[in-house]
Amino acid sequence: MSLKVEPILPNFGAVCSGLDLTQPLSADEVKQITDAMDKYGVTVWRNTGLTDEQHVEFSRNFGYLERVPKRPDGAKMRLPYRELFDASNLNLEGEITTDPAAVEYRKGDRLWHTDSAFLEKRTSYSILLAHITPPPEAGGETWFADARTAYEDLPQETKDLIEDKVGINSLWWSRKKAGADVAEEEILERPLARHPIVHTHAGSGRKSLFIAAHTMDIEGMEGPEGRQLIADLIAHTTQPQYTFKWSWQPGDMVIWDNLATMHRGGEYDYTAYKRDMRRTTVREGTEPHLMETGDDPYTALFAKSPKAVDINSARDAGR
Ligand code: OGA
Ligand code: MN
């Protein structure tokens, strides 16, 4: 079968169809998808009909899948596979959660970000599948921004300034920005990840910004100066000409390349509507040794989580 691609913006975002994603894909079909991803950065697949198992199997075509933090033996999980990150507002019983830690944690997703920028090993694709969505007029869209075109449009002076700069990223920084009560000193004692804020996107050869709500500081710049630069670059990248929003229907799946985009969750009344979204998270790189790795960076990271943004209680509440 062959892929049909309908662009959303001229060079960014595309609605794709024509492949049956519930079935194993040929190498050629996988390449058609990665080619579309390299060109458009975000692809949207409507009415996929994927089960959890098929979602995970489909995602494995693109690399090693990160896993949610390990639960204590016997602890219940809402979702059946550790490869599924729970981006819902539901508890273990499938009801809207009222746990403050869970609500707090998800608030960070409403800031422009790239998934897992706070880990040393970056995430390439995030693959988010909608199971239950609020009614269309109630919001809950997801927004995407084109970090490659935004980079290309920067004045040369800014490109020169940021060329070799390294960002310092922390999960807790984005949670703090979203309102969590965590001190800066405490953040600096937690794991930090260093990533260049400009890099060459492997699949397209285009340069891209790599900044996020997780980017706290820029190495070698004074705190306020670095933070202003981060804020300016995020504001630049998220201007209307670089962005679109996707309004979800159950069954829709969106794949975004974190190494070429930013995204954020849109507003909706968290307490009034169920929104069940499940995500697989592909680690950057597809060399054979990366595909078989058994390390567990999320478990290691959240073992060090301060109470204010405790993903364990968030997860216990179903997040
Ligand atoms: C995510 C995310 C936003 C949303 O799953 O990584 O940021 O709209 N989701 O659910
Ligand atoms: Mn995200």
Side-chain angles (χ1 to χ4, degrees), residues 3 39 117 120 146 167 172 182 228 244 246 278 305:
L3 185 66
K39 183 160 166 47
E120 198 185 311
D146 179 355
W172 297 287
V182 46
Q228 188 59 50
F244 71 89
W246 185 252
R278 307 177 188 183
S305 177

Side-chain angles (χ1 to χ4, degrees), residues 87 134 138 175 220 226 257:
R175 268 49 197 170
D257 185 343

Side-chain angles (χ1 to χ4, degrees), residues 87 109 113 115 128 141-142 256 263-266 275 277 279:
D109 283 347
H113 66 281
D115 292 332
L128 187 64
E141 306 90 355
T142 306
W256 64 85
H263 66 279
R264 71 173 184 91
R275 187 169 182 274
M277 311 291 287
R279 189 189 87 199

